[in-house]
Amino acid sequence: MRVKMASLYGKKDIRIRETELPDLRDDEILIKVMSNGICFSTYKAAMKGEEHLRVPENVHGTPVVTGHEMAGIIERVGEKWKGKYREGTSCFLQAGIRYKGSEDAPGYSFEFFGGNATYTIIPGGYIESGCLLTYEDDYFAFASMGEPVSCIISAFHTCIHDYMEDMFVYDNIHGTKEGGNLLLMASCGPMGIGAIDYAVHGPARPKKLVVTEINEERLKRAAQLISPKEASDYGVELIYVNPEDLDNEEQELRQLSGGKGYDDIMVFASSERLVELGSSLLAVNGCLNFFAGPTDEQFKARVNFYDIHYRRTHYVGNSGGNLDDIREMFDLSREGLITPEYMITHVTGLSEVPEIILNLPDIPGGKKLVYPHVDLPLMALADFEKQADVDPVYKKIAGILKANHGVWCKEAEQVLFAEKWIGD
């Protein structure tokens, strides 16, 4: 089978590659990739090339296909899995699962296992780990957001607190504090919006949620998608703050907490200043989750060790989610409680992917969603209306988006498939 993919050949070297897939083994499954989200971690891998933890040293000779936020259709099932998986079934991937402790991962380490491709082969070991999940629907965008949303859910579950009633009980309480104060710092990017959505609509809601962001455009978009009024309907006092409007950021953020500080803080940018500010704003028994993944292996920040000792503050970090996290994402999404599509601000076809990945920090907005079988330049969702006169398909999609408050949805995806499909 002929396949087209966006492959990494080395540091800052991503190319569209056309090649033949190898024959499917009995313990493998072939997926027709219908959509794939571009993750910032893919940009980091592209910048480091073979120096990246998960990119093989021989990447120059054997390129690896990029992308891990994939959803698609099971095209062919190896003999081993024919009793469990059915051809024609929609599926998505929990890419955070590791096979037998290996650092190898889809989108980083494999020649034919990744999401920026028309077809991909899932190795038997990863299927054994349970990473391939199926569902009954012909909609794929929300499923591609399943992996990043599971990372967010994992961050909430990763936070820890002590049993304050008995200081000699050594088992921690896992999860953000329900009914507490939650601060999300630099949190109006795609992952931050997902965190706001989950905090407001998830199972362990804070009483007060403060969100900071210096990008005014991002701040306004987040407030439009998840408004303070909507949050109040779920029992959450939601406050959006641009720190540049504050005279004394630390003092005024503390005042917003009622003076006691925050039970949970999540930092969504690799900023020494934000980590140190968050450290100063933790309440007694509070927890700071450093969610942002730095590219600098020597990234450091000062934290308050007096508070760690006497005020029992905690610091955690996490990367990826587990199967329970992604199942929770799926259930909440299907129940209409969270909207993974809030994260999507651009859609595109496969041919644009190398340039998008290599220039990702310079492209505004949130998640870029790739449709490998569609002929489409990189399109901001807002640009469909601006270019409605250029293409009748754009006009049709613009109307759908307008009726859906500018959020990508199943109806828009189906128009794209019907009108811009270029085949296999």
Side-chain angles (χ1 to χ4, degrees):
M1 174 180 286
R2 197 75 179 166
V3 64
K4 184 183 289 188
M5 58 185 69
S7 295
L8 178 68
Y9 284 77
K11 192 178 296 185
K12 300 182 182 179
D13 186 1
I14 299 176
R15 311 173 204 168
I16 295 296
R17 179 189 184 203
E18 292 192 47
T19 187
E20 291 287 332
L21 285 179
D23 292 337
L24 195 72
R25 294 169 46 174
D26 286 346
D27 66 340
E28 296 176 333
I29 290 179
L30 176 68
I31 304 296
K32 185 175 188 176
V33 182
M34 301 298 285
S35 62
N36 182 77
I38 296 180
C39 179
F40 199 80
S41 63
T42 302
Y43 166 78
K44 296 173 186 175
M47 292 301 102
K48 300 196 78 169
E50 63 274 19
E51 296 174 7
H52 191 278
L53 177 66
R54 295 173 183 160
V55 175
E57 293 182 359
N58 67 341
V59 67
H60 298 282
T62 304
V64 296
V65 60
T66 60
H68 58 270
E69 297 176 357
M70 70 183 84
I73 299 170
I74 296 177
E75 183 80 6
R76 198 178 306 156
V77 179
E79 196 64 35
K80 179 177 179 178
W81 304 108
K82 286 192 173 177
K84 183 174 182 179
Y85 293 98
R86 178 170 47 86
E87 293 172 0
T89 305
S90 296
C91 62
F92 61 110
L93 193 71
Q94 175 47 291
I97 300 297
R98 298 287 179 268
Y99 178 59
K100 294 184 177 179
S102 170
E103 284 296 338
D104 290 347
Y108 302 91
S109 315
F110 296 93
E111 186 176 7
F112 301 113
F113 183 23
N116 288 320
T118 49
Y119 291 86
T120 190
I121 294 175
I122 304 184
Y126 285 83
I127 302 170
E128 287 178 11
S129 73
C131 73
L132 183 62
L133 298 101
T134 60
Y135 64 102
E136 299 298 327
D137 201 342
D138 59 351
Y139 178 39
F140 301 96
F142 89 95
S144 269
M145 294 299 101
E147 194 278 335
V149 174
S150 78
C151 297
I152 294 164
I153 292 174
S154 173
F156 279 75
H157 293 326
T158 300
C159 290
I160 57 173
H161 303 276
D162 289 339
Y163 287 95
M164 292 301 288
E165 293 80 5
D166 186 344
M167 67 180 295
F168 296 109
V169 172
Y170 300 120
D171 292 333
N172 296 119
I173 302 170
H174 287 266
T176 55
K177 184 177 180 181
E178 187 172 0
N181 291 335
L182 172 61
L183 173 62
L184 304 179
M185 306 180 78
S187 185
C188 291
M191 300 299 277
I193 286 177
I196 300 167
D197 193 16
Y198 182 75
V200 170
H201 302 110
R205 297 164 191 152
K207 182 177 182 181
K208 178 170 286 186
L209 171 59
V210 177
V211 176
T212 71
E213 175 61 60
I214 61 172
N215 185 309
E216 194 64 29
E217 185 178 340
R218 284 185 166 189
L219 194 70
K220 289 179 179 177
R221 181 172 184 269
Q224 288 171 349
L225 294 174
I226 309 160
S227 69
K229 169 61 173 64
E230 179 185 349
S232 69
D233 293 340
Y234 287 85
V236 179
E237 182 184 358
L238 172 57
I239 303 170
Y240 288 101
V241 177
N242 187 333
E244 293 185 342
D245 295 336
L246 305 179
D247 294 326
N248 186 317
E249 185 176 2
E250 180 180 346
Q251 178 180 321
E252 293 179 58
L253 287 176
R254 182 173 292 280
Q255 288 174 349
L256 288 176
S257 75
K260 79 180 197 68
Y262 294 88
D263 301 293
D264 298 282
I265 297 175
M266 295 186 185
V267 179
F268 284 82
S270 296
S271 164
E272 177 183 334
R273 187 189 72 82
L274 288 183
V275 172
E276 294 179 357
L277 176 61
S279 178
S280 70
L281 290 170
L282 281 172
V284 172
N285 196 26
C287 181
L288 185 148
N289 186 310
F290 181 62
F291 188 84
T295 54
D296 180 5
E297 295 180 11
Q298 298 302 313
F299 179 86
K300 294 179 176 68
R302 297 182 301 173
V303 299
N304 190 320
F305 275 81
Y306 179 93
D307 286 351
I308 291 173
H309 186 84
Y310 289 107
R311 291 165 56 85
R312 303 176 75 170
T313 55
H314 309 269
Y315 295 82
V316 298
N318 70 287
S319 175
N322 63 24
L323 289 171
D324 288 336
D325 298 326
I326 204 164
R327 290 186 184 115
E328 183 179 350
M329 163 269 162
F330 186 85
D331 291 342
L332 291 172
S333 176
R334 296 294 85 184
E335 292 169 17
L337 289 172
I338 65 171
T339 308
E341 298 93 328
Y342 282 163
M343 304 168 75
I344 301 168
T345 59
H346 294 69
V347 291
T348 189
L350 183 64
S351 61
E352 309 290 325
V353 169
E355 286 300 312
I356 294 171
I357 294 174
L358 294 173
N359 296 284
L360 198 57
D362 300 321
I363 305 174
K367 279 284 183 183
K368 285 71 182 172
L369 185 66
V370 180
Y371 287 105
H373 297 270
V374 163
D375 181 17
L376 188 73
L378 179 64
M379 291 285 291
L381 301 190
D383 287 346
F384 280 103
E385 184 172 5
K386 295 175 184 177
Q387 297 192 37
D389 294 335
V390 175
D391 189 323
V393 178
Y394 293 174
K395 185 175 182 179
K396 190 181 294 187
I397 292 175
I400 294 168
L401 293 176
K402 186 174 182 180
N404 199 44
H405 309 290
V407 179
W408 193 249
C409 59
K410 181 176 182 177
E411 189 178 358
E413 180 179 276
Q414 289 180 330
V415 169
L416 203 59
F417 285 161
E419 303 290 348
K420 294 291 184 179
W421 190 265
I422 56 175
D424 299 338

